[in-house]
């Protein structure tokens, strides 16, 4: 293999949110973190080499993203990986996926409108909906044997009173990969009730099973009010380079998006490291994706086996996508607060509690790390639960 994902990369002392500022989330400094969803892996070698040359140039002036090199890297990536057509004129640079989500919510809805979304959900969805003075329309996913399914009757009831559907595809935190059949049904329902869809597809490359990722814009022939936002930052681990993109087929909304970024919020210049990282990784680094996914697959297999054999009170089934393990703690007779207390203060491990994402008595464990770190984290989880039982 080209990449050694077993290698321990020291991230402390780099202003790293996950490692240096773990206290912000758990109130304690010296714990092993499995929290925020970036990985502990280096970026692709080709990206590193390109960024070295960018630094050696020593000039960092205003930078334009609106050119064929940037847009075609995204167009070609969607074609080769997902067999999905993207027109280059649909592609718009954005500093982050959640910036794009926030702006699209403002452009596609009004104050006090309901934005439907599946629950549990990526915690930023709570903030971006309510922070823009919209109301959250939760549609609970149905769990059965560790897999998650859509209750289409409940979804339709919510869509009848909503203006937008905000998707996370693949789904964070459950790891669900929506099937083509499910997405077609979702799109048809949204067309029936004139509901616009914003789909956050930042985890689209991390598919762990037999399913395939289907970008929402694949279904434009069925319905044209579809908007996709994504970035290479999750897959290739460069969120700090500040680069994402929105795919906006609607000309009017695209112009409103550009007017806001250029004339109201003055995001006229792209991050040159982020732009180059995106172009290089999308054009040249398919091998990184394949090796990363294979490694995450093994990590998830280990988590599933370890929990089944060593922590009988918990349930976990390998997700269909993402590097996030959504662990079912509902059989534990202890509250989430009691579990978090022993995890942090006894186990010295930081694992996000499910309530952050709207899921009662779950844990979200970031498996985008070395197997050595993961093994240690699971031991700490096991020891914490055993301590609880002895109290």
């Amino acid at each position: 293999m080209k990449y050694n994902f077993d290698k321990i990369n020291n991230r402390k002392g780099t202003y790293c949110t996950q490692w240096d500022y773990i206290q912000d989330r758990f109130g304690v400094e010296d714990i092993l973190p499995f929290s925020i969803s970036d990985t502990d892996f280096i970026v692709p070698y080709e990206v590193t080499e390109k960024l070295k040359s960018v630094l050696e140039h020593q000039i960092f002036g205003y930078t334009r993203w609106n050119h064929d090199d940037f847009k075609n890297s995204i167009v070609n990536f969607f074609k080769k990986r997902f067999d999905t057509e993207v027109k280059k004129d649909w592609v718009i640079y954005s500093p982050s996926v959640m910036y794009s989500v926030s702006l699209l919510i403002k452009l596609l809805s009004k104050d006090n409108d309901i934005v439907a979304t599946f629950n549990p959900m990526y915690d930023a969805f709570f903030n971006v909906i309510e922070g823009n003075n919209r109301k959250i329309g939760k549609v609970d996913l149905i769990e059965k044997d560790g897999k998650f399914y859509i209750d289409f009757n409940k979804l339709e009831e919510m869509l009848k009173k909503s203006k937008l559907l905000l998707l996370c595809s693949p789904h964070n935190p459950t790891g669900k990969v929506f099937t083509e059949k499910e997405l077609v049904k979702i799109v048809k329902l949204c067309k029936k009730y004139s509901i616009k869809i914003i789909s956050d597809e930042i985890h689209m490359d991390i598919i762990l099973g037999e399913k395939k990722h289907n970008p929402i814009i694949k279904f434009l022939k069925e319905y044209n009010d579809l908007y996709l936002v994504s970035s290479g930052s999750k897959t290739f681990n460069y969120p700090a380079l500040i680069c994402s993109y929105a795919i906006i087929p609607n000309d009017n909304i695209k112009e409103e998006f550009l007017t806001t970024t250029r004339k109201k919020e003055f995001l006229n210049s792209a991050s040159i490291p982020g732009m180059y990282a995106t172009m290089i990784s999308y054009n040249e680094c398919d091998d990184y994706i394949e090796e990363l996914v294979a490694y995450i697959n093994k990590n998830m297999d280990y988590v599933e086996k370890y929990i089944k054999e060593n922590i009988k009170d918990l349930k976990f089934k390998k997700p269909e996508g993402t590097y996030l393990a959504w662990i079912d703690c509902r059989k534990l007779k202890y509250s989430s607060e009691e579990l978090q207390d022993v995890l942090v203060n006894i186990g010295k491990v930081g694992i996000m509690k499910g309530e952050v994402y709207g899921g009662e008595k779950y844990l979200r464990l970031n498996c985008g790390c070395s197997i050595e770190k993961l093994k240690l984290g699971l031991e700490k989880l096991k020891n914490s639960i055993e301590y609880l039982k002895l109290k």
Side-chain angles (χ1 to χ4, degrees), residues 286-338:
D286 295 274
D287 55 351
Y288 185 96
I289 300 174
E290 303 311 318
E291 292 187 21
L292 172 71
V293 170
Y295 195 85
I296 298 298
N297 241 320
K298 289 181 180 179
N299 276 1
M300 288 295 186
D301 286 337
Y302 183 85
V303 175
E304 185 171 7
K305 186 172 186 289
Y306 185 92
I307 288 176
K308 183 177 181 180
E309 293 178 355
N310 297 281
I311 317 177
K312 304 294 186 182
D313 292 314
L314 304 188
K315 289 170 58 181
F316 174 69
K317 192 172 185 67
K318 183 169 76 171
E320 297 161 344
T322 82
Y323 49 73
L324 305 168
W326 188 238
I327 302 170
D328 187 346
C329 307
R330 290 176 295 176
K331 284 179 64 178
L332 276 179
K333 63 180 181 180
Y334 311 100
S335 68
S336 291
E337 289 72 22
E338 289 174 306

Side-chain angles (χ1 to χ4, degrees), residues 94-105:
S94 168
S96 75
V97 163
M98 289 311 299
Y99 173 85
S100 297
V101 170
S102 180
L103 180 49
L104 284 169
I105 285 174

